[in-house]
Amino acid sequence: MGNKKRTTIKDIANVLDISPAAVSKALHGDSRISAKTIEAVKEVAKKLNYQPNHLASALRKGKSNLVGVIVPKTNSNFFSSVIQNIEEILNKEGYNIIITQSNESFKKECNNIDALLFTQVDGIIASMANETIDLDYYEKIKSYGIPLILFDRGENNLNVDYIGIDDYQSSHLIIEHLVGQGCKRIAHIGGFKHTRIYNNRIRGYVDAIKKHNLPLDDELLFESSLTIEDGREKMNQLLALKNRPDAVYVAGDYAALGALQVLKENRINIPKDIALVGFGNEPFTSMVSPTISSINQHSGEIGRQAALTFLERVKMTPVKQTLNKIILNAELIVRDSSNINWNL
């Protein structure tokens, strides 16, 4: 069977024996068209299952009232919370959002950008995939003259708005806490250094370790995709060391969950033998046993600021963008997995 032909304004005009221009005006409630004609046009449009061509409309008006949102994954509470707050703010201003996810794939991220640009979105709010190193596709967005706002994961070289937390300082918060708990050999399961936020977390870890004159061994520092499987694999490697760590700071909660599973399977006393801290404050961190200490990234506020920044930029003609950072203070939520001194 062939595809059913899409109903057009011309089809409605033929039924009513009026001009397509009159149909278009009637559909938009133009005061120059009689109420009788407007009612007749709407009735025929309904019978013919007419759907407006928003893409064509956007091309005519130069505005679609659509905003593209690109996230690495939608099954993360952090990203879903950001999306919810972006949508809440933008809906009030007459915008709808189109959500795409890269699944941490550079190729899929590029395809998402192409699809959003083809749809004539009025702007794009994005958090980069782990695989993304080449920034040409993000430069492509800028070349279209529409706002580009980055959050959580972004690059200074793009010279656009960025909203996130202080990742470097977050690492200091975590190390200060663990040192205060008496930990002296602290490992770090991090993200990949080529991603700015994970590079900042690694730098923060290294500098904080040096500050306290603690051992900085290569065998205690890992880069990974921060999946549950990565957390399990790296934790097993740490347990195989002759000189095990007494604490592990993990740069993502899902990897921290994997690390926790391995510690429990090996009957390691948490936190007395090995303390554990994650990053992201995913809901499960307060539900597992023991509960996992984690950094609260203020996802709701990040989403709100991203939406407000877009609304400011889109008012500009032409859109002018420079490196403008909104950096929120991180908060460490201390739970059972690292609270060694709570019963002393």
Side-chain angles (χ1 to χ4, degrees):
M1 293 179 64
N3 292 331
K4 187 174 179 181
K5 183 176 176 290
R6 183 188 180 112
T7 300
T8 66
I9 285 177
K10 190 173 181 180
D11 296 323
I12 300 171
N14 288 338
V15 171
L16 295 171
D17 197 23
I18 58 177
S19 71
V23 172
S24 178
K25 290 174 183 176
L27 289 171
H28 289 89
D30 194 308
S31 60
R32 292 169 292 180
I33 304 297
S34 69
K36 183 178 179 181
T37 300
I38 290 174
E39 185 179 346
V41 167
K42 289 183 176 180
E43 186 177 337
V44 172
K46 186 176 181 181
K47 285 180 180 177
L48 296 180
N49 196 27
Y50 169 74
Q51 296 294 326
N53 188 331
H54 291 293
L55 180 56
S57 177
L59 287 168
R60 287 194 303 273
K61 297 186 298 181
K63 185 175 176 64
S64 65
N65 287 96
L66 296 172
V67 177
V69 178
I70 305 173
V71 295
K73 52 192 173 184
T74 54
N75 65 347
S76 154
N77 181 71
F78 171 76
F79 288 115
S80 62
S81 176
V82 171
I83 290 169
Q84 180 182 345
N85 282 272
I86 289 173
E87 185 172 43
E88 187 175 319
I89 296 289
L90 294 186
N91 280 176
K92 290 176 183 176
E93 300 299 322
Y95 289 92
N96 288 308
I97 66 172
I98 300 174
I99 303 164
T100 68
Q101 62 176 349
S102 64
N103 289 320
E104 303 289 10
S105 162
F106 171 68
K107 183 178 179 181
K108 195 167 191 301
E109 186 174 73
C110 293
N111 290 338
N112 289 341
I113 291 171
D114 278 337
L116 291 172
L117 293 176
F118 177 78
T119 311
Q120 302 287 320
V121 292
D122 293 334
I124 291 178
I125 301 172
S127 183
M128 292 180 175
N130 265 338
E131 289 184 3
T132 300
I133 299 174
D134 187 337
L135 302 178
D136 284 353
Y137 261 74
Y138 282 98
E139 291 289 355
K140 183 177 180 179
I141 296 171
K142 291 173 62 180
S143 73
Y144 272 62
I146 61 174
L148 168 62
I149 291 90
L150 299 177
F151 70 92
D152 187 45
R153 305 182 196 173
E155 292 299 331
N156 294 343
N157 293 342
L158 282 168
N159 291 313
V160 297
D161 294 284
Y162 170 81
I163 298 96
I165 64 166
D166 190 332
D167 292 285
Y168 178 84
Q169 187 58 35
S170 296
S171 290
H172 278 265
L173 272 178
I174 292 169
I175 301 305
E176 291 289 340
H177 162 65
L178 291 171
V179 169
Q181 297 294 303
C183 299
K184 292 180 169 59
R185 186 169 169 80
I186 304 170
H188 180 46
I189 301 174
F192 292 112
K193 280 183 182 177
H194 67 251
T195 302
R196 189 183 56 80
I197 61 167
Y198 297 126
N199 185 39
N200 286 342
R201 290 175 199 178
I202 291 170
R203 287 195 309 106
Y205 161 78
V206 169
D207 289 352
I209 290 293
K210 288 179 178 177
K211 174 185 172 184
H212 290 281
N213 297 311
L214 297 176
L216 184 62
D217 296 341
D218 289 342
E219 64 183 8
L220 295 178
L221 176 59
F222 297 95
E223 293 182 49
S224 73
S225 296
L226 294 173
T227 61
I228 291 176
E229 293 73 20
D230 287 323
R232 291 185 60 86
E233 178 189 341
K234 306 310 180 189
M235 193 69 245
N236 274 315
Q237 291 179 37
L238 287 170
L239 291 183
L241 295 176
K242 185 176 180 180
N243 188 7
R244 290 177 173 179
D246 56 12
V248 182
Y249 155 35
V250 189
D253 281 338
Y254 283 94
L257 178 61
L260 180 73
Q261 291 171 352
V262 169
L263 289 172
K264 292 176 72 173
E265 289 164 8
N266 285 272
R267 300 185 183 280
I268 304 294
N269 188 309
I270 311 164
K272 289 184 180 178
D273 292 337
I274 297 181
L276 181 69
V277 178
F279 207 109
N281 201 32
E282 291 287 334
F284 64 76
T285 55
S286 63
M287 300 174 189
V288 294
S289 179
T291 53
I292 303 174
S293 299
S294 189
I295 289 286
N296 180 6
Q297 293 180 267
H298 303 297
S299 54
E301 184 61 16
I302 287 176
R304 200 176 78 84
Q305 290 296 334
L308 292 173
T309 300
F310 163 77
L311 292 173
E312 283 301 310
R313 291 296 180 196
V314 82
K315 292 176 186 175
M316 299 178 178
T317 307
V319 172
K320 293 181 181 178
Q321 292 197 256
T322 57
L323 179 60
N324 178 48
K325 292 184 177 182
I326 299 175
I327 305 298
L328 308 176
N329 290 325
E331 174 190 12
L332 176 60
I333 309 296
V334 177
R335 299 191 177 99
D336 296 343
S337 69
S338 68
N339 196 3
I340 299 170
N341 299 324
W342 71 273
N343 62 349
L344 297 181

